[in-house]
Amino acid sequence: MMNNKVGLVMEGGAMRGMFTAGVIDVFMENGIEFPAAAGVSAGAVFGCNLKSRQIGRVIRYNKRYCRDKRYCSVQSLIKTGDLYGADFCYRELPETLDVFDKDAYEQNPMTFTVVCTDVLTGKPVYQRLDKVDENCFLWMRASASMPMVSKPVRVGGYTLLDGGMSDAIPLRYMQEQGYEKNIVILTRPRSYVKKPSSPMLMQLGLRRYPAMVKVMQKRHEMYAYQRAYVFASEKQGNTLVLCPDSDLPLSRTERDPEKLQQAYDEGRRIALRELDNIKAFLTDDNGGQNGN
């Protein structure tokens, strides 16, 4: 089932992305497809499995390797500058340990765009990924490279970090691409309010990139504005929002397989609960309603 006018937006949230993984698995199990999707951070590195049509891959490899020091550890941060080991996560894992289906990804006509942040300007960079090559994984890595625990990634003539810093929920971007209707997957509940980041940590961790410091200083305001825009669009009937009912019981860098499973199961539960609304939204050219 696909409506060529409906796009998909997936925000980040590090390991809260297990919620998104649960949602997109339900999509795939029910034949729900999209002509285009945009993913930010975890929404990019997990959401790409929707294009490769690999049901269960995200929860499988995260549960298997979440406690592996090569995947995520302070040791990796000290040794390489990346909390999440770049070589392990973006080469060894997808090429050998839990193979990413490159052929299926490239054959799926859905366009997939990742969002990154240019550290020199603080502006978002949008990159469409049609081919699975070295640069493809570099763009995904850049989109998910959290400030202060990741090295900036150089690709495409840019120096980049996490897209969530500059465009956490790229609904406007998708609308500007011609998708007037969109399904938006959020990893925070409707009641969530982001707090300001620590000024001291920002100055220490991003002192080489003053534009990023400014972005981080106002990030909570940007995020509040974007969420308000999403929910306003929902009231107008052109957006359907899927999000947890309450805070997910896990941290951004969660390493407990059971908690990862709980977040994934919550995503599945919400998607299955809203399945009729999702199908109605996809088949109704005049908009839909969300009972979430």
Side-chain angles (χ1 to χ4, degrees):
M1 174 184 295
M2 180 171 69
N3 185 327
N4 287 324
K5 299 179 181 179
V6 179
L8 175 66
V9 176
M10 296 172 283
E11 81 160 333
M15 284 304 172
R16 292 195 308 275
M18 290 299 104
F19 175 87
T20 301
V23 173
I24 65 173
D25 277 358
V26 170
F27 286 169
M28 288 187 279
E29 290 164 1
N30 287 273
I32 295 172
E33 299 184 341
F34 299 86
V40 183
S41 194
V45 296
F46 297 159
C48 64
N49 290 272
L50 177 64
K51 184 168 169 64
S52 66
R53 296 190 169 108
Q54 290 180 273
I55 299 172
R57 180 174 179 269
V58 178
I59 186 62
R60 180 176 66 239
Y61 77 72
N62 274 281
K63 287 182 66 177
R64 184 176 298 167
Y65 296 109
C66 63
R67 288 178 172 166
D68 191 313
K69 292 180 180 179
R70 297 171 298 171
Y71 186 54
C72 176
S73 64
V74 174
Q75 291 94 324
S76 175
L77 179 61
I78 294 172
K79 184 177 179 180
T80 71
D82 289 301
L83 182 66
Y84 285 88
D87 184 69
F88 183 81
C89 292
Y90 297 98
R91 185 192 61 78
E92 187 172 357
L93 200 160
E95 292 184 2
T96 305
L97 301 177
D98 199 319
V99 177
F100 184 70
D101 194 332
K102 298 180 181 181
D103 290 339
Y105 180 97
E106 293 180 357
Q107 291 167 11
N108 187 338
M110 181 184 82
T111 63
F112 188 69
T113 299
V114 300
V115 186
C116 308
T117 301
D118 184 333
V119 300
L120 301 181
T121 66
K123 302 295 185 182
V125 176
Y126 307 92
Q127 180 66 31
R128 176 171 159 176
L129 302 177
D130 296 325
K131 298 290 184 180
V132 183
D133 53 19
E134 181 180 356
N135 279 348
C136 176
F137 286 123
L138 277 174
W139 281 104
M140 290 186 188
R141 175 185 157 200
S143 182
S145 290
M146 296 182 290
M148 296 178 284
V149 293
S150 305
K151 292 185 300 185
V153 177
R154 291 177 172 81
V155 60
Y158 296 98
T159 303
L160 304 166
L161 281 172
D162 194 326
M165 301 302 107
S166 56
D167 192 356
I169 313 171
L171 175 58
R172 256 188 211 279
Y173 169 80
M174 288 296 285
Q175 291 172 338
E176 291 169 354
Q177 303 312 301
Y179 299 97
E180 296 179 358
K181 292 181 61 180
N182 291 273
I183 292 179
V184 177
I185 304 175
L186 303 177
T187 58
R188 295 284 198 182
R190 291 173 179 267
S191 59
Y192 177 74
V193 177
K194 179 177 284 295
K195 297 178 181 179
S197 301
S198 167
M200 183 177 296
L201 287 177
M202 286 188 289
Q203 292 292 343
L204 288 173
L206 296 169
R207 59 186 179 277
R208 293 179 58 191
Y209 306 107
M212 284 297 295
V213 174
K214 292 180 180 179
V215 166
M216 291 288 286
Q217 287 173 338
K218 295 185 177 181
R219 188 186 174 210
H220 62 292
E221 297 175 1
M222 177 272 290
Y223 190 62
Y225 171 82
Q226 289 194 314
R227 282 174 62 92
Y229 182 78
V230 167
F231 295 133
S233 297
E234 181 184 44
K235 289 182 179 179
Q236 294 172 1
N238 58 41
T239 299
L240 189 152
V241 179
L242 301 173
C243 63
D245 285 339
S246 57
D247 286 326
L248 296 171
L250 78 173
S251 69
R252 289 176 58 83
T253 58
E254 188 61 60
R255 301 182 68 188
D256 184 338
E258 292 186 5
K259 291 184 178 181
L260 297 180
Q261 184 70 53
Q262 289 175 11
Y264 172 81
D265 289 343
E266 176 67 1
R268 291 189 59 87
R269 185 184 73 82
I270 294 296
L272 288 169
R273 187 184 74 187
E274 302 300 325
L275 193 56
D276 288 343
N277 281 331
I278 294 167
K279 291 179 178 179
F281 187 79
L282 290 171
T283 57
D284 180 8
D285 286 336
N286 294 316
Q289 293 181 344
N290 178 21
N292 185 21

